């Protein structure tokens, strides 16, 4: 990855491309690359949908190599949802292909003058930026079907649906999986709206004639990869639970622990939980001829996804993730898997974040727009309102906070305007710290304290008490910022937290590839550097300590069945970034 | 005494999802695990009344014990 592609969409006479040497970014990747470039080049006080914002796309440090499970791609920008810095990453094929093409990053800046819609085709010989208005207002699935006829099935696609074109703050960027389904999304924070504001509908990545990136120390790299894969396969979470049941194995866990936010965060248990659990989902997928096990990119050794078929055995969507099953399920009082899968399909097709969309629908239910549990009503809201860009659809597509204001809802579960995911911070207090303090807004992946609080992976910290949560969340946020830079899937965290030899193998993979010695201290230093850069950007965008808070109802309204409130004090929250 | 036992994920195979079972007074979580022949190395979360418990926790009449293998997601 020795070069950076820069595209100025606002250049006189049409989009202009240039190639730079990667410099400091040659040995960086993912979130470290996107956040460094955004912090350096984007004015923190700019409008996220204006010409001054930039969309930065970066494969991880190990993407495009033979390293297992290294296919995460990061997209960075100023977020139209939060108003702060954003890094949103996804699986799919894009990271591997972009890295093999030799790009450490693509930087898209400026804005075209007219209303033409562009596509960008990148192969080993050239970059072609062309107008294609025939793609206007196509959703992701029909768009990919159309593009496949032009570019074939040996490429990776990054696309926006209609939500991105309509600049909705919940809009995602879809990345295709190995079978070219647009199912892996950079979902959070409205990155799809930023791509839409640059008037880019599709990026087609073709690595024909390219090879895997070669490691500096092939022997060390190969040996490390072997130990790394063994470590993942032998760990019960990564090697057994995730492949068999997917991420939705958590529904029963969180429901049993009383931390499953139900009916817009009113209780911690959902009586329909069993019906939509990972166990029920996997059984149904297999019964209908789908699959409970599927990898989002080639080279994945966990295979946490699956294929969900409809009643007639036809493909409906990929296996809905735990967060999606929750946001469209328990959060909305819905306990029907077909409804949830249909909503997952429409979210992917329109191109919106499933968390933000589901939470917005649940907030609208709380505001009286429809009843909790109204399956058909929820589908209509997403498919017919958001999908068609109606006035109501634009409110919902603007996210949970906008929806809460539109319907006069007091209980709006957001931090920095981004919807909370599927763990109640009163019952899982460590994740509450992450929600409150993350540079990204409420984001469970930013420091997954659920592992230690609830799953008892990587230690044991009592989920119901504030003690120890700051340190836990801090350490996880630092480690995550590093892992998000490697291109490795975050699910490697389960084995590397529990197995020292697997953690060492990850260090040796990086060290072997770049011909350096990597230590645990290097991982911490990189993570801290990324977080500090992001925080500095957010300060420039107007964020302060008051933004590192949960909505007040988490401190005042006890959550059944434990009947406790979030107990970590504001003073403690302000100590999270104690290295600064 | 009667105790409700819930099993999840891989632990259900060849066993059950939920069952009310009879155990003598003084039975611990470890005794139930042994009785059900659950593999110790795969044991994950143990909960009674929505709270995590240890293997040496003594069960009381009418309680619900949930036993998960090590699982994760997110």
């Amino acid at each position: 990855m020795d070069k950076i592609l820069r595209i100025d969409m606002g250049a006189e006479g049409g989009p202009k491309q240039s190639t730079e040497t990667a410099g400091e970014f040659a040995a960086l990747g993912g979130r470290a690359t996107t956040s460094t470039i955004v912090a350096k080049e984007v004015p923190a006080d700019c409008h996220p949908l204006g010409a001054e914002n930039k969309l930065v796309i970066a494969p991880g440090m190990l993407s495009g190599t033979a390293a297992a499970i290294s296919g995460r791609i990061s997209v960075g920008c100023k977020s139209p949802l939060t108003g702060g810095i954003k890094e949103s990453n996804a699986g799919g094929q894009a990271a591997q292909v972009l890295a093999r093409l030799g790009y450490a990053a693509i930087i898209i800046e400026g804005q075209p003058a007219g209303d033409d819609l562009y596509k960008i085709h990148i192969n080993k010989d050239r970059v072609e930026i062309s107008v294609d208005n025939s793609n206007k207002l196509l959703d992701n699935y029909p768009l990919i079907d159309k593009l496949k006829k032009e570019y074939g099935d040996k490429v990776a696609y990054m696309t926006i649906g209609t939500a991105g074109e309509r600049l909705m703050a919940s809009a995602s960027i879809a990345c295709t999986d190995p079978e070219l389904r647009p199912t892996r999304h950079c979902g959070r924070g409205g990155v799809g709206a930023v791509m839409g504001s640059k008037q880019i509908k599709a990026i087609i990545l073709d690595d024909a004639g390219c090879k895997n990136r070669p490691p500096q120390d092939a022997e060390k790299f190969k040996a490390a990869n072997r130990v790394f894969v063994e470590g993942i396969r032998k760990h019960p979470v990564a090697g057994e639970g995730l492949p068999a049941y997917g991420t939705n194995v958590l529904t029963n866990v969180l429901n049993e622990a009383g931390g499953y936010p139900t009916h817009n965060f009113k209780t911690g248990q959902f009586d329909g939980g069993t019906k939509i659990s990972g166990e029920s989902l996997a059984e149904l997928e297999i019964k209908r001829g789908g699959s409970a096990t599927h990898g989002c990119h080639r080279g994945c050794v966990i295979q946490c996804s699956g294929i969900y078929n409809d009643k007639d055995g036809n493909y409906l969507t990929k296996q809905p993730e735990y967060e999606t099953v929750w946001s469209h399920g328990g959060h909305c009082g819905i306990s029907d898997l077909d409804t949830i899968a249909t909503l997952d399909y429409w979210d992917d097709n329109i191109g919106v974040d499933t968390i933000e969309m589901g939470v917005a629908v649940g907030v609208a239910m709380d505001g009286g727009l429809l009843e909790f549990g109204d399956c058909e009503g929820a589908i209509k809201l997403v498919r017919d309102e958001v999908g068609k860009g109606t006035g109501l659809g634009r409110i919902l597509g603007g996210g949970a906070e906008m929806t809460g204001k539109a319907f006069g809802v007091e209980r709006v579960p957001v931090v920095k305007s981004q919807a909370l995911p599927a763990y109640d911070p009163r019952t899982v207090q460590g994740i509450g710290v992450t929600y409150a303090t993350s540079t990204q807004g409420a984001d469970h992946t930013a420091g997954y304290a659920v592992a230690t609080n609830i799953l008892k992976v990587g230690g044991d910290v009592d989920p119901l008490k504030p003690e120890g949560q700051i340190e836990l969340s801090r350490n996880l946020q630092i480690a995550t910022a590093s892992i998000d830079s490697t291109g490795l899937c975050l699910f490697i965290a389960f084995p590397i937290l529990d197995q020292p030899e697997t953690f060492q193998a990850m260090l040796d993979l990086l060290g072997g590839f770049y011909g350096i010695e990597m230590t645990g201290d290097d991982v911490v230093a990189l993570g801290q550097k990324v977080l500090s850069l992001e925080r500095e950007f957010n300060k420039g965008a107007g964020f302060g300590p008051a933004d590192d808070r949960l909505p007040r109802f988490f401190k005042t309204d006890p959550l059944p069945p434990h009947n406790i409130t979030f107990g970590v004090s504001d003073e403690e929250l302000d100590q999270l970034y104690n290295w600064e | 005494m009667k105790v409700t036992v819930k099993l999840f994920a891989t632990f259900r195979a060849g066993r059950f999802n939920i069952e009310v079972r009879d155990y003598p007074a003084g039975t611990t979580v470890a005794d139930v695990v042994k009785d059900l022949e659950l593999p110790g190395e795969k044991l994950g979360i143990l909960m009674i009344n929505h709270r995590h418990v240890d293997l040496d926790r003594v069960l009381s009449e009418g309680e619900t014990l949930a036993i998960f293998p090590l699982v994760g997601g997110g």
Side-chain angles (χ1 to χ4, degrees), chain A residues 445-515:
Chain A
T445 68
Y448 193 65
V450 179
T452 321
N453 279 180
I454 298 288
L455 308 173
K456 307 307 176 193
V457 173
D460 182 359
V461 175
D462 188 337
L464 304 175
K465 295 189 175 131
E467 286 79 24
Q469 308 294 3
I470 293 286
E471 191 186 357
L472 172 64
S473 175
R474 177 191 298 127
N475 291 338
L476 288 168
Q477 290 197 53
I478 291 168
T480 304
S482 264
I483 292 175
D484 284 347
S485 305
T486 61
L488 296 168
C489 170
L490 194 52
F491 289 158
I492 63 150
F494 295 112
I496 67 171
L497 280 167
D498 271 347
Q499 300 163 182
E501 75 279 11
T502 313
F503 180 67
Q504 185 59 46
M506 181 191 77
L507 295 176
D508 291 342
L509 262 179
L510 286 159
F513 187 81
Y514 288 101

Side-chain angles (χ1 to χ4, degrees), chain A residues 38-55:
Chain A
V38 171
K40 193 169 148 197
E41 297 192 12
V42 175
D45 58 350
C46 76
H47 195 286
L49 301 177
E52 287 183 304
N53 199 6
K54 301 191 183 192
L55 189 71

Side-chain angles (χ1 to χ4, degrees), chain A residues 11 40-41 43 93 107 185 214 314 325 328 343 371 377 409 490 556:
Chain A
K40 193 169 148 197
E41 297 192 12
Q93 289 294 109
I107 305 172
H185 289 238
N314 299 315
V325 174
H328 283 306
L343 286 161
E371 295 287 319
V409 180
L490 194 52
T556 56

Side-chain angles (χ1 to χ4, degrees), chain A residues 236-237 240 242 245 247 249-250 252-253 256-257 269 279 323 423 444 448 453-456 464 491 494 562, chain B residues 6-12 41-42 44-45 47 49-52 54 64-66 68 70-74:
Chain A
V237 173
E240 210 166 324
L242 280 170
Y245 302 103
T247 56
V249 73
L250 290 179
N252 278 330
V253 178
E256 199 60 37
Q269 285 193 299
E279 289 89 335
E323 307 295 332
Y423 315 86
H444 61 297
Y448 193 65
N453 279 180
I454 298 288
L455 308 173
K456 307 307 176 193
L464 304 175
F491 289 158
F494 295 112
H562 293 288
Chain B
K6 290 181 178 177
L7 299 178
F8 297 93
T10 46
F11 284 177
R12 288 179 171 178
E41 75 282 0
K42 288 184 180 166
I45 311 156
M47 277 189 263
N49 303 336
H50 322 302
R51 286 175 186 270
H52 291 83
D54 295 327
T64 299
L65 169 65
F68 294 82
L70 270 171
V71 291

Side-chain angles (χ1 to χ4, degrees), chain A residues 147-162:
Chain A
L147 290 171
K148 272 196 292 195
K149 288 179 190 136
E150 296 167 60
Y151 299 99
D153 57 3
K154 302 279 188 288
V155 298
Y157 298 95
M158 295 178 77
T159 58
I160 56 169
T162 47

Side-chain angles (χ1 to χ4, degrees), chain A residues 50 113 262 283 293 440 518 524 542 544 553:
Chain A
T262 303
E283 196 184 317
T293 307
Q440 305 292 321
M518 279 287 285
V524 171
F553 72 87

Side-chain angles (χ1 to χ4, degrees), chain A residues 3-46:
Chain A
K3 57 190 174 182
I4 287 177
L5 172 65
R6 190 179 289 272
I7 298 173
D8 180 2
M9 293 301 293
E12 224 168 293
K16 196 178 142 207
Q17 53 169 293
S18 57
T19 305
E20 304 159 17
T21 56
E24 63 174 309
F25 299 109
L28 269 188
R31 182 171 171 184
T33 295
T34 64
S35 287
T36 304
I37 294 173
V38 171
K40 193 169 148 197
E41 297 192 12
V42 175
D45 58 350
C46 76

Side-chain angles (χ1 to χ4, degrees), chain A residues 399-415:
Chain A
E401 185 175 74
M402 181 180 276
T403 302
K405 281 184 182 167
F407 292 95
V409 180
E410 194 186 325
R411 183 188 300 270
V412 180
V414 299
V415 175

